[in-house]
Amino acid sequence: TQAETTRAVAVLSHDAGEVERHQGLSRLLKEADLPHVRVGEVRVFDKAIGLEGQPSEEARASYGGALQLMREIDRLVRSNRTPSTTQVKGVVRSLVDNVLQNRYAMLQLTGLKNYDEYTFYHSANVAILALALGAAVTTDYRFLSSLGIGALLHDIGKLTVDLEILNKPGALSPDEWANVRQHPVHGAEMAALMPGLDKSAIVIILEHHMRYDCAGYPQRVPARTQHLTSRIVAVADSYDAMTSRRAYSAARVQDEAMAVMVKSAGNSLDPALVRLFVRLMGVYPPRSVVRLSSGEVGVVVTPSPLDPVRPLIRVITTPDGAMIDPHDLDLGVDAARSIIACLDPRGLNIEPDDYV
């Protein structure tokens, strides 16, 4: 009834402190007399999506859990065993919770790379990037959970590809390329054998290379549009792959990767999602090493929610290149300075992880 709906909304509008004072939500619901209302699960956050802040121990543990899970899945797949759906869901639930609590702190972690464990780090990074982008579309928990599972497992099919092919420094032969192009199909088949896995997550694994213009693989006859979640993962996958060093390509600096993605909008990538991703990450994403108009060098800590070209910077050198004790500079407040270029940290002997 209308009266029940009014009372239900009043109960669900209480802040965390008020719920605690009433000895929990179940007690509040019982007192409100709501015979036709069922509350499944409520998650209460003390603050909205974070704009700043260092990754917490919980966030780092969540990221580490994703890496460990991917190592375990690799071991199971190579011994012809099926990964645990329950374990995957648990890891993704932790990722979703942390992204919703402090999106930008989690995005800082996606700058972590490991050449020797590219597949594992790439999977964890794509999951976080996809969840952050997905949370900008909707905060529906079931949608994000399914998105996170598909994103984390999107490259599971590559675990069946010979490592010599994946790590080949030169161009692949036609047969080798045909083998690699089958990884979305093999991955979807493997995921379909995992009992209780959301079908929508399996669709992501199958479609993440299909492209926005349907010119990718596997080809569908007749052609049909990628699912929204598959398009989200394609954006995240593209960015992390370009900014990672692989056997056959060097890592691009972050602003160059963003420029490539913008050029791909409307072809391989969904243009609306690319625009949203640039707003989310900024033109200079977290961990970018940048030179300021003043000559100083800094590391991007968090993007600005208002201006994609004016993030929060941790300044680490003087204009003449001398290292200094780092200090933070908010370009959204300081209009006198601006970023003029993204730099390759290897050429400067700088490790961005030391400053974020």
Side-chain angles (χ1 to χ4, degrees):
T1 65
Q2 183 176 347
E4 285 178 319
T5 303
T6 301
R7 294 198 298 275
V9 171
V11 169
L12 296 175
S13 298
H14 289 324
D15 62 30
E18 197 166 359
V19 171
E20 199 171 313
R21 284 193 295 275
H22 282 81
Q23 299 178 355
L25 185 63
S26 59
R27 179 76 172 269
L28 274 172
L29 291 168
K30 185 175 181 181
E31 292 175 354
D33 186 24
L34 304 171
H36 301 105
V37 176
R38 298 288 179 270
V39 177
E41 183 175 12
V42 174
R43 294 170 179 269
V44 180
F45 299 110
D46 290 334
K47 60 182 180 180
I49 293 170
L51 299 179
E52 297 182 10
Q54 298 297 320
S56 64
E57 287 303 314
E58 184 180 352
R60 293 182 185 278
S62 179
Y63 186 86
L67 290 176
Q68 189 57 40
L69 174 64
M70 293 311 301
R71 295 184 184 107
E72 175 67 8
I73 288 176
D74 178 63
R75 186 183 66 80
L76 292 171
V77 168
R78 295 188 187 283
S79 59
N80 294 316
R81 296 165 62 189
T82 302
S84 164
T85 302
T86 301
Q87 191 175 4
V88 172
K89 288 183 175 180
V91 167
V92 169
R93 189 180 305 116
S94 174
L95 292 175
V96 173
D97 289 345
N98 279 283
V99 167
L100 289 176
Q101 288 183 70
N102 198 327
R103 176 191 300 170
Y104 290 115
M106 288 296 284
L107 286 175
Q108 286 185 32
L109 294 173
T110 63
L112 295 171
K113 312 286 184 182
N114 187 311
Y115 177 78
D116 294 325
E117 290 191 314
Y118 167 76
T119 299
F120 307 148
Y121 278 78
H122 176 64
S123 297
N125 291 340
V126 169
I128 293 173
L129 292 168
L131 286 171
L133 181 56
V137 175
T138 177
T139 55
D140 181 81
Y141 202 86
R142 183 172 181 178
F143 175 90
L144 293 176
S145 296
S146 181
L147 171 63
I149 292 170
L152 188 64
L153 301 181
H154 77 285
D155 266 348
I156 191 175
K158 280 188 176 179
L159 301 180
T160 64
V161 179
D162 194 315
L163 289 175
E164 290 185 3
I165 295 177
L166 291 178
N167 297 326
K168 185 176 180 179
L172 298 180
S173 70
D175 286 345
E176 290 170 336
W177 178 232
N179 190 346
V180 171
R181 283 168 62 96
Q182 282 298 306
H183 82 266
V185 176
H186 293 157
E189 291 172 344
M190 292 162 60
L193 297 176
M194 297 172 62
L197 199 70
D198 290 347
K199 289 183 172 62
S200 53
I202 300 172
V203 171
I204 293 171
I205 298 169
L206 179 67
E207 291 187 346
H208 71 279
H209 281 303
M210 199 175 286
R211 292 177 50 114
Y212 179 72
D213 58 9
C214 300
Y217 59 89
Q219 291 186 340
R220 301 300 299 270
V221 181
R224 64 171 176 79
T225 305
Q226 282 177 303
H227 190 275
L228 172 60
T229 51
S230 304
R231 285 177 273 147
I232 290 173
V233 170
V235 170
D237 181 31
S238 177
Y239 173 77
D240 189 72
M242 282 192 288
T243 54
S244 300
R245 182 169 71 95
R246 292 171 286 174
Y248 50 87
S249 67
R252 296 177 185 265
V253 291
Q254 290 88 337
D255 64 338
E256 182 184 351
M258 284 293 188
V260 172
M261 292 177 66
V262 170
K263 289 181 181 178
S264 300
N267 297 315
S268 60
L269 302 175
D270 184 324
L273 291 176
V274 170
R275 286 195 297 270
L276 197 57
F277 189 73
V278 172
R279 284 214 309 269
L280 171 72
M281 299 287 285
V283 173
Y284 309 100
R287 277 186 164 78
S288 300
V289 177
V290 295
R291 188 178 302 282
L292 301 178
S293 55
S294 59
E296 298 159 298
V297 172
V299 178
V300 177
V301 179
T302 56
S304 166
L306 302 176
D307 190 334
V309 298
R310 305 195 69 80
L312 176 68
I313 304 291
R314 190 151 291 151
V315 180
I316 62 174
T317 81
T318 62
D320 60 6
M323 302 299 293
I324 59 173
D325 289 335
H327 65 273
D328 289 351
L329 171 67
D330 189 345
L331 292 179
V333 176
D334 187 328
R337 285 173 281 188
S338 60
I339 295 173
I340 59 173
C342 239
L343 306 174
D344 186 342
R346 292 172 299 175
L348 300 173
N349 198 27
I350 290 173
E351 178 50 66
D353 294 349
D354 294 340
Y355 299 99
V356 296

